[in-house]
Amino acid sequence: MPGGVQAQDIAQRYNDYPTAARADYVFACMATNGRSRLTLEQCSCSIDEIASILPYEKYLQAETVLSMRRAGGERMAVFNSAVAAQNLVTDLRRAQAEAEVVCF
């Protein structure tokens, strides 16, 4: 059943985010946007949209860069100036913008 295998691969590709990562995103999104049923649906839609655009590994790397930037300090300066780090953050921001257009 080649079609079934292909469908499984596509489904896995779009669902490679762990449940805990999705829940963390939704909790943070709701803390920012309000705690209502509508916001829950919008925030859930948002992480689903991001997951369809950005593989989890890149999402995790971008979140790490952002976290390191918030930490500050001399050792963290590389996260502010490295092109590769900036590209990761840019990709995440684009995915978030797309998710906002689609979901909010």
Side-chain angles (χ1 to χ4, degrees):
M1 291 188 131
V5 172
Q6 183 181 10
Q8 181 70 18
D9 292 342
I10 291 170
Q12 287 175 334
R13 190 176 97 216
Y14 289 119
N15 195 23
D16 65 342
Y17 283 50
T19 302
R22 288 177 186 265
D24 284 343
Y25 181 92
V26 170
F27 286 141
C29 177
M30 289 182 71
T32 302
N33 296 296
R35 292 188 167 99
S36 68
R37 178 67 186 174
L38 175 60
T39 305
L40 171 64
E41 291 173 11
Q42 290 170 325
C43 292
S44 297
C45 171
S46 182
I47 191 60
D48 290 344
E49 188 67 26
I50 291 168
S52 75
I53 296 169
L54 199 63
Y56 180 66
E57 186 64 32
K58 287 191 177 193
Y59 173 84
L60 189 59
Q61 290 170 352
E63 284 292 327
T64 301
V65 169
L66 291 172
S67 176
M68 299 305 272
R69 285 181 177 177
R70 284 188 290 270
E74 191 175 312
R75 292 182 178 184
M76 302 309 156
V78 70
F79 292 102
N80 291 323
S81 61
V83 174
Q86 185 56 43
N87 289 341
L88 288 168
V89 172
T90 299
D91 289 346
L92 175 59
R93 296 289 187 230
R94 283 187 190 129
Q96 288 173 325
E98 179 68 23
E100 188 169 326
V101 168
V102 171
C103 302
F104 285 88

